Amino acid sequence: NGGSGGKRTVLEVAVKRKLDDILERLSDRQTRPPVQSEVEEHSPYTYFFVQECERMYWLVSEIRLSLQELDSALKGDLSLSAVMERLMHSLYQDTLPEAWAALSWP
């Protein structure tokens, strides 16, 4: 655990570096996706576009929230849950976290 005695493991240091890098790349300002009723032209393409914007919005929201929670756990502010531990190992191993993959494509 990141809060235990102030000592960090190699895994925690590497994950913290990746976590910070990803959070830095995410925009602080997240725009809500367009709603179908707000779109002027109604076609299969615009419907698909709105759907993809919504999917991306929820994916980015999950990425941001899960990384912020993991960051808090590494600082010792939260207990490290099993979900956070899986996220930490995915980041360390450069694999796509399950929770992110579940939201990325149906």
Side-chain angles (χ1 to χ4, degrees):
N1 181 317
S4 59
K7 286 196 132 194
R8 298 184 116 178
T9 66
V10 171
L11 179 134
E12 290 172 337
V13 171
V15 167
K16 175 69 171 142
R17 189 176 308 123
K18 288 181 185 182
L19 179 153
D20 288 341
D21 181 53
I22 295 169
L23 283 175
E24 184 179 308
R25 292 169 190 255
L26 291 177
S27 172
D28 288 338
R29 183 182 66 93
Q30 187 173 359
T31 309
R32 73 168 180 78
V35 179
Q36 189 68 35
S37 62
E38 296 173 343
V39 177
E40 291 180 22
E41 179 187 330
H42 294 281
S43 72
Y45 298 112
T46 57
Y47 179 74
F48 177 78
F49 173 74
V50 170
Q51 239 182 356
E52 289 302 302
C53 288
E54 289 171 353
R55 182 175 287 123
M56 186 59 66
Y57 174 83
W58 293 114
L59 174 60
V60 171
S61 296
E62 171 61 26
I63 290 170
R64 179 181 288 111
L65 179 63
S66 62
L67 290 176
Q68 289 169 339
E69 287 177 345
L70 179 57
D71 191 36
S72 292
L74 291 174
K75 291 176 184 174
D77 297 335
L78 292 175
S79 295
L80 188 65
S81 70
V83 172
M84 286 185 242
E85 196 167 334
R86 286 193 300 272
L87 172 60
M88 184 169 66
H89 286 284
S90 290
L91 291 172
Y92 185 71
Q93 297 168 353
D94 285 327
T95 58
L96 181 63
E98 293 171 14
W100 300 358
L103 290 173
S104 65
W105 191 253

